[in-house]
């Protein structure tokens, strides 16, 4: 066998590090960072080695599986796709198209074919009941981008390589490698910031790995960031401002000033826990530093004021003169820009409240409903009830609020189809599981993250291994299901020709079309062949100003005071007076975890148990608890038992659990993960806690009680009875 070297971006997280993989025949012999990658320059995190483990994992499914009672039978592709389409069609015929829901998980965005072809499948499925991990994540940012800039994917990214003041709220890029900020090797980038005399300031209820390296870290009471941001704005608006190229583009500045007025640093300090003089000093520094940027992520998104936070972060960047300028918050300009693709492939500009969920009346956002409402749509009887589900690259049992409730609800579905390589906590409920090949068996071109990257780069990669004629890629499964569904509904010649054309085009063809369309909506002279010819990719340079041309609002202006946010400010003001629960739960990530799905890789899970509850020494003492002992954590919806870790790295009144664990459920085929099952933080998170504007799940700040665990670990408990049909 001849050894070969393959260069490609890692597809496991948003950082898109360039990896150099050596193979010998069918074996991966080494995985290292690609030192010549213009974007990541050799950086790699430990997760990249899991690409090998993932590829070789004996638990990873290679053929479609049909559930027969509690056992599984391998079946052929045609049989599986025919049966899946037939059963979905039967439910839709009997109860209407909306009776089948769809849930798209995070890895969809890391899979060229899945992200490009999911829209055509969803269109064929024709359901209004669309859900995704977006509403457990960055939805507030997208909604606010829709309102302020006119497009949900015009997301400002911190120009970390050129900034001199980086104010970070609720993000821990040293563990997560950055989100809505693709910045491989963030540690090096932050070191460079300091080396040029810049400063990193972190605001977080936990002294994180990132906070440890910061010049300043300030604890903040969970869920109060919007108050702190308003106070910063209030101060910044009182200081003289530098002239700014967006000045003539802004609307709503006077209104913003009026809204900010009551939120003085003194007024918000008791609620946030951040002293007024700290807020004053930071505001002055933001205004006086020519290259500065405010950035907020998960901690600011997954809380009841997620949209308010996203709004105020951008507003603050605008009024301090840091939007769309080098060193501030900028808009990447990808060589392949899905935003300007033809319909139906292009993600729309966004929308809000065109309809509402049946049971709770939560708003539609960007064509989707909030996933916090999924279980109740399955469980609540009556017209419009969801009776079928298709999941694509998602594990909502572990990743959505009150996952235990969803777990029971899935068991009662009339049909469930999962496109997933594993029998995990979610797909074990499916009637049919359709596994795509491993990431190393498919070509890769990043579609989503160049829109969020701190530098404009473009790369293309071949598959390392041929998955063989028996394999079906995600996009082929989506096309296969869509085509069959429409055929069952009696699609004519035109319909059949459409699917044949899509199959011929494929994701590679579509990427080529998009590259020819170019960036800035104008031709850029690139083709897929040209990109593929550059083994390490092409560096298109640092970010460049993009506004006001890119604005997509009807009046082409940047809206500083969107009406629905303005109308929601009284709810925020009420937080000033609200009593604080004695103990609230926040979540965390570890460098060696990846949401819920890399725990079957031994290289990543070995070592001490990471699924522990962090608690401040004062809180532990007050409850008579000691480090290492198992404690029972109880919320409105459930209880879990985890070992206690006592540490002053979390602020008093706050406890922290990691997310993505809880693999101990019956019927899961993850043999390594099962040995380090941990507990699911989402058996505690409450589906009724959402940001009411976006409907985004509010995982952060869940009120909990903690006590010594009884001898025998209890099962998760819940307020809801067993799923119907059981
Ligand atoms: N409490 C709490 N909950 C959270 C979070 C939190 O911080 N706290 N974080 C939230 C966030 S940010 C996110 S993004 C979500 C993630 O939520 P999900 O996307 O629902 O879950 P993942 O854990 O990413 O699971 C991914 C699934 O995709 C499968 N998969 C991997 N690659 C592929 C592929 O190429 N094709 C297909 N078809 N399947 C694939 C895996 O086997 C796995 O089943 O969780 C959210 N939930
Ligand atoms: N190693 C690893 N990397 C990952 C992932 C992973 O699971 N593991 N997941 C990937 C995904 S899908 C995403 S979306 C990104 C997320 O990447 P990040 O946004 O960096 O997310 P977290 O690491 O969860 O950091 C959130 C921080 O918010 C803090 N926080 C909680 N509540 C509040 C609050 O109310 N206010 C403030 N100011 N802070 C708060 C928490 O203490 C935590 O430090 O990471 C990606 N990268
Ligand atoms: S940070 Fe790690 S997981 Fe993320 S792209 Fe880079 S190597 Fe892959
Ligand atoms: Mo995420």
């Amino acid at each position: 066998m001849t050894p070969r070297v393959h260069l490609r971006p890692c597809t496991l997280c948003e950082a898109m590090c360039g990896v150099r993989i050596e193979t010998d025949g069918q074996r991966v012999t080494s995985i290292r960072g690609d030192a010549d990658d213009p974007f990541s320059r050799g950086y790699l995190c430990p997760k990249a080695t899991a690409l090998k483990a993932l590829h070789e994992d004996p638990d990873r499914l290679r053929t479609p599986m049909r559930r027969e009672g509690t056992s599984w039978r391998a079946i052929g592709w045609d049989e599986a796709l025919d049966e899946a389409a037939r059963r979905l069609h039967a439910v839709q015929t009997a109860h209407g198209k909306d009776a089948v829901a769809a849930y798209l998980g995070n890895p969809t965005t890391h899979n060229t074919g899945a992200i490009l072809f999911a829209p055509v499948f969803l269109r064929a499925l024709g359901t209004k009941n669309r859900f995704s991990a977006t509403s457990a994540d960055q939805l507030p940012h997208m909604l606010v981008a829709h309102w302020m800039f006119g497009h949900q994917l015009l997301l400002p990214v911190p120009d970390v390589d050129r900034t001199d003041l980086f104010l970070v709220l609720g993000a821990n890029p040293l563990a997560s490698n950055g989100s809505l900020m693709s910045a491989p090797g963030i540690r090096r980038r932050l070191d460079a910031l300091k080396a040029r005399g810049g400063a990193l300031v972190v605001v977080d209820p936990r002294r994180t790995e990132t906070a440890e390296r910061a010049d300043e870290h300030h604890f903040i009471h969970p869920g109060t960031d919007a108050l702190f941001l308003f106070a910063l704005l209030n101060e910044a608006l009182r200081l003289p401002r530098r002239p700014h190229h967006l000045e003539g583009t802004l609307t709503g500045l006077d209104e913003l000033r009026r809204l900010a007025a009551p939120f003085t640093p003194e007024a918000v300090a008791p609620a946030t826990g951040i002293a007024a003089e700290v807020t004053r000093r930071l505001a002055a520094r933001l205004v006086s530093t020519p290259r500065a940027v405010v950035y907020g992520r998960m901690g600011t998104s997954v809380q009841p004021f997620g949209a308010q936070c996203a709004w105020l972060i951008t507003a603050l960047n605008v009024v301090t003169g840091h939007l769309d300028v080098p060193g501030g918050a900028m808009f990447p300009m990808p060589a392949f820009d899905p935003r300007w693709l033809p319909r139906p492939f292009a993600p729309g500009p966004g929308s809000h409240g065109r309809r509402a969920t049946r049971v709770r009346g939560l708003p539609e956002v960007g064509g989707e409903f909030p996933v916090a409402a999924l279980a109740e749509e399955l469980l609540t009887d009556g017209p419009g009830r969801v009776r079928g589900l298709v999941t694509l690259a998602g594990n909502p049992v572990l990743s959505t609020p009150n996952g235990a409730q969803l777990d029971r609800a899935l068991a009662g579905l009339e049909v469930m189809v999962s496109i997933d390589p594993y029998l995990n906590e979610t797909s074990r409920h499916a009637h049919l599981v359709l596994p795509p090949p491993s990431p190393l068996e498919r070509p890769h071109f990043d579609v989503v993250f160049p829109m969020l990257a701190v530098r404009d780069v473009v790369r293309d990669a071949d598959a390392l291994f041929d998955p063989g004629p028996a394999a079906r890629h995600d996009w082929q499964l989506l096309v296969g299901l869509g085509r069959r569904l429409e055929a069952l509904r009696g699609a004519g010649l035109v319909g059949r020709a459409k699917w044949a054309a899509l199959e011929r085009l494929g994701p590679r063809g579509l990427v080529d079309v998009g590259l020819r369309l170019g960036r800035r909506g104008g031709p850029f002279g690139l083709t897929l062949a040209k990109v593929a010819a550059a083994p390490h990719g092409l560096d298109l340079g640092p970010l460049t100003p993009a506004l006001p041309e890119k604005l997509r609002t009807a009046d082409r202006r940047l809206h500083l005071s969107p009406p629905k946010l303005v109308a929601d400010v009284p709810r925020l003001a009420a937080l000033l007076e609200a009593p604080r629960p004695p103990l609230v739960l926040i979540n965390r990530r570890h460098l060696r975890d990846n949401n819920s799905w890399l725990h079957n890789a031994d290289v990543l899970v070995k070592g001490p148990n990471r699924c522990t509850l962090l608690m401040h020494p004062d809180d532990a003492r007050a409850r008579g608890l000691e480090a290492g002992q198992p404690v029972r954590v109880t919320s409105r919806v459930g209880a879990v038992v985890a070992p206690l870790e006592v540490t002053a790295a979390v602020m008093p009144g706050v406890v922290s659990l990691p997310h993505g664990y809880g693999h101990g459920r019956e019927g899961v085929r993850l043999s390594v993960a099962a040995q380090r099952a941990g507990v699911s933080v989402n058996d505690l998170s409450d589906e009724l806690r959402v940001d009411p504007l976006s409907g985004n799940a509010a995982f952060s700040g869940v009120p909990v009680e903690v006590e010594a665990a009884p001898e025998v670990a209890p099962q998760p408990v819940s307020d809801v009875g067993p799923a119907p049909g059981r």
Side-chain angles (χ1 to χ4, degrees):
M1 289 287 155
T2 33
R4 288 186 58 195
V5 173
H6 311 258
L7 303 171
R8 59 161 34 216
C10 170
T11 49
L12 294 175
C13 91
E14 299 182 36
M16 304 185 282
C17 301
V19 284
R20 186 180 184 282
I21 305 180
E22 285 178 30
T23 57
D24 195 351
Q26 289 301 301
R27 277 187 336 117
V28 172
T29 49
S30 102
I31 298 185
R32 280 186 289 153
D34 175 8
D36 297 318
D37 185 283
F39 192 39
S40 58
R41 303 189 181 284
Y43 174 80
L44 220 55
C45 91
K47 285 189 293 301
T49 55
L51 287 169
K52 174 179 160 76
L54 200 56
H55 179 68
E56 294 170 356
D57 190 347
D59 285 339
R60 186 168 60 77
L61 304 176
R62 268 79 171 171
T63 53
M65 303 292 274
R66 179 202 284 134
R67 184 158 55 79
E68 296 175 350
T70 52
S71 62
W72 292 89
R73 196 157 73 80
I75 58 174
W77 278 112
D78 283 336
E79 191 184 351
L81 287 166
D82 287 346
E83 183 176 330
R86 203 171 52 239
R87 294 184 68 165
L88 293 169
H89 178 67
V91 169
Q92 288 192 310
T93 306
H95 304 285
K97 283 188 177 171
D98 298 339
V100 174
Y103 174 85
L104 271 55
N106 169 278
T108 307
T109 59
H110 297 276
N111 181 317
T112 320
I115 191 70
L116 289 175
F117 281 75
V120 291
F121 166 71
L122 288 172
R123 188 177 263 219
L125 191 62
T127 180
K128 292 194 184 71
N129 281 310
R130 296 181 182 187
F131 300 84
S132 80
T134 293
S135 53
D137 191 349
Q138 82 286 359
L139 184 62
H141 290 258
M142 292 172 61
L143 176 61
V144 165
H146 162 65
W147 280 335
M148 296 184 86
F149 307 124
H151 199 293
Q152 59 180 343
L153 288 176
L154 275 172
L155 296 164
V157 174
D159 185 11
V160 61
D161 291 343
R162 289 182 291 180
T163 199
D164 293 319
L165 175 58
F166 191 21
L167 174 54
V168 175
L169 293 93
N172 184 15
L174 246 57
S176 70
N177 282 293
S179 180
L180 302 186
M181 173 183 71
S182 291
I186 187 72
R187 177 190 294 246
R188 266 191 250 161
R189 293 174 197 266
L190 295 178
D191 287 349
L193 161 74
K194 287 196 188 180
R196 63 180 176 264
L200 170 67
V201 180
V202 173
V203 175
D204 198 300
R206 177 165 80 91
R207 194 178 322 110
T208 60
E209 296 81 349
T210 309
E212 287 287 355
R213 302 177 74 80
D215 299 86
E216 286 180 39
H217 165 234
H218 303 284
F219 283 129
I220 187 166
H221 290 299
T224 64
D225 301 73
L227 295 172
F228 171 63
L229 288 160
F230 247 138
L232 286 172
L233 254 178
N234 189 349
E235 279 296 296
L237 283 166
R238 282 152 23 97
L239 297 165
R241 288 187 307 127
R242 251 170 293 118
H244 189 271
H245 74 292
L246 295 177
E247 219 69 43
T249 314
L250 307 178
T251 71
L253 183 59
D254 291 337
E255 173 125 53
L256 189 64
R257 197 185 300 275
R258 180 184 67 76
L259 292 168
F263 298 98
T264 62
E266 282 76 12
V268 306
T272 62
I274 298 181
E277 58 273 17
V278 171
T279 308
R280 280 224 158 74
R281 183 169 48 76
L282 286 174
R285 210 162 155 197
L286 276 174
V287 172
S288 67
T289 308
R291 293 185 163 195
V293 64
V294 186
Y295 162 72
R297 209 35 280 276
M298 275 303 273
T300 61
S301 308
V302 292
Q303 52 151 293
F305 297 94
Q308 299 269 347
C309 287
W311 167 41
L312 297 170
I313 287 165
T314 294
L316 194 54
N317 281 324
V318 172
V319 305
T320 53
H322 300 309
L323 189 82
D324 197 37
V325 294
M330 302 195 75
F331 299 89
M333 212 92 71
F336 171 83
D337 199 328
R339 287 169 294 203
W340 326 127
L341 280 179
R343 290 297 242 166
F345 297 106
S351 55
H352 181 260
R354 290 180 302 180
R355 25 177 200 274
T357 59
R358 177 180 64 109
V359 178
R360 209 191 314 174
L362 288 179
E364 161 274 346
V365 183
E368 287 186 13
F369 286 132
V371 74
L374 177 57
E376 68 204 26
E377 293 297 325
L378 271 56
L379 289 168
T380 312
D381 213 353
R385 176 171 175 185
V386 172
R387 298 156 190 272
L389 178 68
V390 179
T391 69
L392 170 65
N395 192 7
V397 166
L398 293 193
S399 56
T400 65
N402 199 353
Q405 184 191 28
L406 182 65
D407 203 354
R408 283 190 303 278
L410 295 181
L413 282 173
E414 287 174 27
V415 56
M416 179 171 162
V417 177
S418 288
I419 304 182
D420 203 286
Y422 285 104
L423 284 181
N424 62 18
E425 296 73 20
T426 297
S427 60
R428 78 194 214 273
H429 289 296
H431 299 96
L432 292 153
V433 180
L434 312 176
S438 97
L440 302 184
E441 290 170 323
R442 60 177 190 243
H444 181 68
F445 183 97
D446 274 297
V447 168
V448 173
F449 300 102
M451 286 189 284
L452 304 168
V454 299
R455 224 182 145 79
D456 288 326
V457 285
V458 54
R459 293 171 298 186
D460 178 57
D462 271 342
L464 272 70
F465 304 114
D466 178 0
R472 297 287 182 281
H473 290 286
D474 286 88
W475 73 272
Q476 293 172 314
L477 297 172
L478 293 166
V479 167
L481 278 177
R483 178 162 57 78
R484 283 171 171 82
L485 277 173
E486 288 194 352
L488 287 166
R489 293 184 202 130
L493 213 56
V494 180
R496 289 209 297 277
K498 176 187 78 182
W499 291 104
L502 284 170
E503 234 156 279
R504 267 198 313 278
L505 180 68
R508 312 279 299 159
L510 190 54
V511 166
D512 191 45
V513 171
L515 279 169
R516 288 168 198 266
L517 287 174
R519 28 186 226 161
R520 286 180 188 271
F524 193 63
L526 278 178
T527 60
L528 190 55
K530 280 190 194 170
V531 176
H536 307 281
L538 295 171
D539 183 12
L540 307 176
L543 304 183
T544 47
L547 299 182
E549 309 90 77
K550 281 272 181 254
L551 287 173
R552 286 293 180 275
T553 46
D555 58 4
R556 300 280 148 155
R557 307 191 95 193
L558 195 168
H559 292 239
L560 277 176
S561 299
K564 287 181 183 173
L565 285 161
V566 170
D568 193 40
V569 172
R571 185 175 64 94
L572 178 64
L575 188 61
L576 290 170
E577 312 297 330
R580 194 174 18 250
L583 207 55
V584 297
L585 176 68
I586 62 169
N587 304 165
R588 66 179 188 272
R589 290 179 152 71
H590 187 281
L591 188 59
R592 289 173 172 272
D593 293 327
N594 196 30
N595 296 327
S596 76
W597 74 280
L598 282 185
H599 291 142
N600 216 41
D602 195 47
V603 288
L604 296 183
V605 293
K606 62 188 179 201
N609 179 7
R610 302 195 287 262
C611 192
T612 59
L613 183 83
L614 307 184
M615 181 184 259
H616 190 275
D618 293 352
D619 290 322
R621 213 171 300 122
R623 289 166 180 76
L625 301 173
E626 275 171 36
Q629 85 178 87
V631 291
R632 181 182 162 99
V633 190
T634 311
S635 74
R636 181 190 77 84
V637 308
V640 301
V641 173
L644 183 70
E645 212 177 317
V646 178
T647 167
V650 283
M651 69 192 294
V654 174
V655 288
S656 159
L657 270 176
H659 106 99
Y661 284 87
H663 303 291
R665 287 155 157 91
E666 214 175 296
V668 169
R669 194 179 293 178
L670 294 167
S671 46
V672 177
Q675 290 158 32
R676 289 155 194 271
V679 292
S680 175
V681 71
N682 284 325
D683 290 346
L684 294 171
S685 62
D686 186 337
E687 82 281 10
L688 298 182
R689 288 187 86 246
V690 294
D691 164 20
L693 277 186
S694 63
N696 203 64
F699 296 123
S700 186
V702 176
V704 289
E705 284 166 24
V706 178
E707 64 199 338
E711 282 303 301
V712 181
Q715 293 300 304
V717 295
S718 179
D719 59 324
V720 199
R726 284 257 123 172

